[in-house]
Amino acid sequence: MDQLIIAGRSFNSRLLVGTGKFASNQDMVAAMEHSGSEIVTVALRRVDIDNPEDSILSHIDTNRYLLLPNTSGARDAEEAVRLARLARAAGRLPWIKLEVTPDPYYLLPDPIETFKAAKILVKEGFVVLPYMPADPVLAKRLEEIGTATVMPLGAPIGTNRGVQTRDHIAIIIEQANIPVIVDAGLGAPSHAAEAMEMGADAVLVNTALADTPNPAAMAQAFRKGVEAGREAYLAGLGTQRIKAEASSPLTGFLRNE
Amino acid sequence: MSFQQQLEQYPQVDIHKSIATTTPAQIDQALQRQRLSISDFSCLLSPNITDSQLEHMAERAHRITRQRFGRTILLYAPLYLSNECFNGCKYCGFNADNIFPRKTLTLEEIEREAKYLRGQGFRHMLLLTGEAPKIAGIDYLENAVKIIKKYCGSVSIEVFPMDIEGYQRMVEAGVDGLTVYQETYDPVLYRQLHPYGPKSNYDYRLAAPERAGAAGLRRIGIGSLLGLGDSLSDVFYSGLHGLYLARKFWRSQVTLSFPRLCPAEGGFQPNSIVDDRQLTQFICALRLLIPDAGLILSTREKEELRNNLLPLGITQMSAGSCTAPGGYGEDNQDVEQFAISDERSPNEVENFLKSKGYEAVWKDWDGAFLNKAG
Amino acid sequence: MELTINGRKKTYQDKMTVQQLLQLSNISPERVVIELNFSILSPNMHDKTELKHGDAIELIQFVGGG
């Protein structure tokens, strides 16, 4: 069975789902269910003590989904580490999606702070899944210090532009010894399929599912896109044959030509 | 996971069978892939490859090499420092059972050899010894390297396997590359061919490239001696080893060599023959598997074959080589480690390269660029 | 006593434990993580920890996020 393995744990689904930006909890739950996902991300925020909300946890069956807290909001390593420790104190698995985004316009990840935070968190025993720029050298450096995966962005968060960073992601996939999860910017099932066809191990999608009239249907479409892409990758995608223009055959000498 | 652990996932009997029975249809499929999987790579090693498939593979190998390396070939010179050896490797001219005058160059002789090579144009030198650490050990090598570095920018070593501390000392002394051949990845055959001496330890030698990578050597060279054992599986394992090292020691460059066994003093006969067609196939397949690896072709091979293999993925060549210690500076008839087949001088090789549209690169790296403290 | 809760100052008449503060505010303990004076407070300490004037508390919960 073709399973996704992260930190020794196996998953059948290669589609991770974010829980942000949905119009309602019902929409969120419907999207999760139709996505077939087994890993969902959540964020950490202050409780409004005067008006405490219904906790998101009452809508997520944590027996069914692995809860992956993120450190969204962190602008530097220190804030990210603090959020990670808070998340861990909530008594879940010590898995953390590390996000350090000092720039509020594009929410692009800070490579230096991400690396710093990852180093600390790995030492503290976290299973670290770092959101990062599509930088092949950074990917190897994070792998080297012990992150469980790398999560290079396809395009800036929420832009729905697809795998804009495809050339660098291809290099990351080629060189990685740990799972590569393409995160951010995937706006259509075809984008998710493209990432999977390239050999990505999984994708994470949020905005595309939340910002649509029918989250359940879109989640199902993404599910199929991810599965199709993965199957195509495993079946072996062809390379475009370029006609060689060798003036004489390169191996002719073997046949005394 | 160490490479040894990865190796255990690919048992030799299965690998050989799988490669030997791969059909041309399967080879076609593998050739289609943009990026080769391990399984695709093994298909491309199959003896059932057709001439047209081989040509297609050669074209791809040529294109990838041009893309990554341009039209350049790095020229280097081997410099044998000592032929003292305590190993009993059955196929090697220097083996301990072979009685002939042993020689270890003095520091003056080393300087003379290095000067000569520099005069020939070389700036990359590969230092070789047998395995006799008490006579030509790490201290000796450190001193040798210090002298040789006056004459060239890049020094590599092809010597006995060391601990990580030894490799760190080599890095400190200024060595930037290492070559260590596993000879054969078949542990049973390995034991038969290396019955005694430190080299009889298969595991220690197998992990040497990993220790070198951990010590920070910039170039890590590996390979099998083709003809010792089953060449199909040995080339497969060389490729697997190269890929493992490339992914783990991503700051270093991996190089692969494919020395073919030829008669040595002592008359060891190869167990298997790798013909020119197979050698061509292996080189192209390795190029496709690891696009960024350096592929090295030594003067073991004849001039004509070297010329023909040049466009297929080779990135480094030796020239004007002598495989006996002190062989450059004096006119001597000392015992060689292996017989040289391509006797062209470095200038002749350079001119030949030019005629084929290649540029000979004499100097690709200089350790002086590094910001070493002290 | 005056407490700083999630960055805002609030005044309370009676002394109370952390657990009592949660009860008062209608917040179920298993849904929140508490930082008291910049240190994470373990759940089994909720009923044993008395709040005093000047304490700073952060109440954090999981919410939707990508």
Side-chain angles (χ1 to χ4, degrees):
Chain A
M1 244 248 83
D2 171 46
Q3 293 196 308
L4 170 67
I5 302 180
I6 301 175
R9 244 178 110 116
S10 313
F11 302 91
N12 293 320
S13 165
R14 293 176 179 272
L15 173 58
L16 286 69
V17 155
T19 54
K21 303 181 195 168
F22 284 94
S24 66
N25 284 320
Q26 287 88 313
D27 277 353
M28 177 191 79
V29 172
M32 279 164 51
E33 279 177 3
H34 285 84
S35 71
S37 181
E38 295 164 285
I39 302 174
V40 302
T41 58
V42 290
L44 287 158
R45 292 291 181 273
R46 284 168 159 168
V47 176
D48 183 350
I49 195 164
D50 297 321
N51 196 7
E53 283 163 16
D54 188 16
S55 169
I56 196 180
L57 293 184
S58 54
H59 301 278
I60 300 180
D61 176 2
T62 52
N63 289 322
R64 185 172 164 186
Y65 301 99
L66 186 149
L67 208 67
L68 180 60
N70 68 29
T71 62
S72 68
R75 290 160 306 170
D76 61 22
E78 198 182 319
E79 289 180 2
V81 168
R82 178 170 166 245
L83 281 166
R85 289 173 181 156
L86 284 166
R88 188 180 195 171
R92 315 268 154 203
L93 291 173
W95 284 47
I96 191 80
K97 181 188 164 193
L98 178 58
E99 265 182 55
V100 188
T101 51
D103 145 44
Y105 304 107
Y106 295 100
L107 296 173
L108 291 169
D110 182 322
I112 297 167
E113 296 299 304
T114 300
F115 182 79
K116 272 163 60 175
K119 217 167 177 187
I120 296 170
L121 294 173
V122 166
K123 269 211 184 75
E124 290 184 11
F126 283 86
V127 170
V128 179
L129 288 75
Y131 171 58
M132 49 164 264
D135 178 340
V137 173
L138 180 59
K140 288 306 283 186
R141 295 207 62 184
L142 287 167
E143 175 186 317
E144 209 165 44
I145 58 169
T147 60
T149 68
V150 286
M151 300 184 69
L153 61 88
I157 291 176
T159 54
N160 288 357
R161 291 171 147 239
V163 194
Q164 271 191 321
T165 55
R166 58 182 58 77
D167 289 342
H168 281 196
I169 287 188
I171 297 173
I172 293 172
I173 291 172
E174 178 187 333
Q175 298 185 332
N177 284 331
I178 53 180
V180 178
I181 304 177
V182 177
D183 181 19
L186 303 182
S190 56
H191 299 160
E194 180 185 354
M196 297 309 293
E197 285 167 26
M198 287 170 65
D201 295 278
V203 299
L204 196 156
V205 180
N206 191 171
T207 306
L209 303 184
D211 189 21
T212 170
N214 193 337
M218 185 57 77
Q220 185 160 279
F222 264 92
R223 175 188 189 153
K224 291 180 183 172
V226 170
E227 285 171 357
R230 180 66 180 173
E231 281 180 32
Y233 172 75
L234 292 175
L237 282 156
T239 175
Q240 289 186 336
R241 282 219 176 195
I242 299 170
K243 271 212 86 178
E245 294 298 330
S247 51
S248 53
L250 290 163
T251 57
F253 69 94
L254 294 168
R255 302 178 286 279
N256 287 318
E257 281 165 27
Chain B
M1 178 167 45
S2 71
F3 178 63
Q4 178 140 35
Q5 288 168 315
Q6 189 183 50
L7 202 57
E8 284 159 14
Q9 295 172 3
Y10 299 92
Q12 189 180 346
V13 164
D14 300 344
I15 292 299
H16 176 89
K17 180 160 176 220
S18 153
I19 297 174
T21 58
T22 297
T23 63
Q26 289 169 309
I27 295 173
D28 259 342
Q29 273 187 351
L31 276 173
Q32 292 261 50
R33 307 256 205 280
Q34 189 80 285
R35 192 163 34 95
L36 293 191
S37 66
I38 297 290
S39 158
D40 295 329
F41 170 64
S42 74
C43 288
L44 296 183
L45 301 176
S46 169
N48 302 323
I49 193 169
T50 67
D51 286 344
S52 115
Q53 287 172 330
L54 184 55
E55 178 63 24
H56 178 79
M57 190 159 69
E59 282 163 14
R60 263 185 82 181
H62 173 69
R63 230 180 318 116
I64 292 172
T65 310
R66 281 272 291 274
Q67 233 177 3
R68 306 288 178 126
F69 293 89
R71 294 175 185 258
T72 62
I73 301 286
L74 179 73
L75 293 182
Y76 72 95
L79 176 44
Y80 281 75
L81 302 178
S82 167
N83 55 19
E84 295 275 5
C85 197
F86 291 130
N87 291 316
C89 312
K90 299 208 163 153
Y91 49 83
C92 175
F94 291 171
N95 103 46
D97 292 330
N98 226 359
I99 310 294
F100 64 91
R102 300 283 173 160
K103 186 174 178 143
T104 298
L105 298 185
T106 63
L107 297 182
E108 288 83 23
E109 289 170 323
I110 292 175
E111 184 145 19
R112 186 195 68 205
E113 296 283 281
K115 246 192 211 155
Y116 171 84
L117 287 173
R118 185 189 165 86
Q120 293 279 297
F122 292 107
R123 297 293 181 270
H124 281 249
M125 296 185 197
L126 175 67
L127 311 183
L128 297 104
T129 66
E131 186 145 11
K134 290 203 178 74
I135 303 169
I138 297 181
D139 291 334
Y140 172 78
L141 284 169
E142 273 177 333
N143 291 331
V145 169
K146 285 201 179 76
I147 292 173
I148 294 165
K149 285 226 70 152
K150 293 192 290 182
Y151 298 96
C152 70
S154 168
V155 175
S156 294
I157 53 175
E158 186 178 330
V159 300
F160 48 92
M162 299 178 189
D163 287 345
I164 197 173
E165 292 81 17
Y167 287 134
Q168 283 164 344
R169 283 175 63 187
M170 291 288 96
V171 170
E172 277 305 301
V175 173
D176 43 65
L178 165 129
T179 297
V180 54
Y181 300 144
Q182 190 59 21
E183 318 292 5
T184 176
Y185 286 84
D186 174 347
V188 172
L189 177 64
Y190 184 94
R191 200 143 300 119
Q192 288 166 9
L193 295 171
H194 309 99
Y196 63 82
K199 193 164 171 177
S200 61
N201 187 336
Y202 174 97
D203 293 355
Y204 187 71
R205 191 175 186 87
L206 187 70
E210 287 160 78
R211 294 192 296 273
L217 275 149
R218 291 180 58 89
R219 183 189 70 78
I220 309 172
I222 59 168
S224 308
L225 186 49
L226 302 179
L228 284 184
D230 169 43
S231 55
L232 297 184
S233 51
D234 269 337
V235 175
F236 173 82
Y237 292 130
S238 299
L240 197 67
H241 201 177
L243 194 58
Y244 172 89
L245 294 167
R247 294 292 166 260
K248 181 141 187 210
F249 302 104
W250 52 278
R251 295 178 180 83
S252 303
Q253 192 206 25
V254 172
T255 60
L256 284 144
S257 309
F258 359 84
R260 280 196 289 188
L261 193 56
C262 43
E265 298 262 345
F268 179 86
Q269 293 310 306
N271 281 329
S272 63
I273 304 291
V274 169
D275 62 23
D276 288 356
R277 185 175 191 270
Q278 266 192 310
L279 182 64
T280 305
Q281 180 186 11
F282 293 160
I283 290 171
C284 294
L286 285 167
R287 168 54 69 225
L288 264 52
L289 179 68
I290 318 175
D292 292 304
L295 299 181
I296 309 180
L297 200 55
S298 79
T299 49
R300 279 177 195 264
E301 302 297 343
K302 293 196 182 52
E303 171 178 342
E304 202 186 321
L305 183 62
R306 294 225 297 175
N307 293 348
N308 285 314
L309 290 175
L310 180 64
L312 302 185
I314 304 300
T315 60
Q316 292 187 29
M317 292 170 73
S318 53
S321 303
C322 180
T323 66
Y328 293 112
E330 348 172 301
D331 180 26
N332 67 37
Q333 302 296 314
D334 275 358
V335 167
E336 301 172 312
Q337 190 190 30
F338 61 83
I340 305 293
S341 292
D342 183 347
E343 302 206 337
R344 284 176 291 182
S345 72
N347 272 329
E348 287 171 317
V349 172
E350 183 180 29
N351 289 332
F352 165 74
L353 289 175
K354 254 199 208 132
S355 74
K356 288 291 168 193
Y358 283 84
E359 185 194 340
V361 172
W362 295 95
K363 180 165 173 176
D364 192 31
W365 173 250
D366 193 322
F369 294 153
L370 289 174
N371 230 358
K372 286 223 182 83
Chain C
M1 66 179 165
E2 189 187 72
L3 304 172
T4 306
I5 302 184
N6 285 350
R8 278 174 26 220
K9 291 199 178 5
K10 289 181 87 80
T11 310
Y12 293 87
Q13 295 306 327
D14 309 311
K15 287 180 145 269
M16 62 179 95
T17 64
V18 168
Q19 183 179 59
Q20 285 165 332
L21 174 65
L22 293 177
Q23 276 166 352
L24 188 65
S25 317
N26 235 335
I27 297 171
S28 46
E30 59 283 357
R31 302 297 193 204
V32 288
V33 181
I34 299 183
E35 237 189 20
L36 178 60
N37 298 327
F38 307 109
S39 251
I40 297 176
L41 188 69
S42 115
N44 55 24
M45 292 298 288
H46 286 188
D47 58 346
K48 300 187 190 70
T49 308
E50 278 268 344
L51 292 166
K52 38 186 215 312
H53 176 80
D55 274 347
I57 302 161
E58 291 280 346
L59 303 169
I60 314 283
Q61 67 179 355
F62 288 129
V63 300

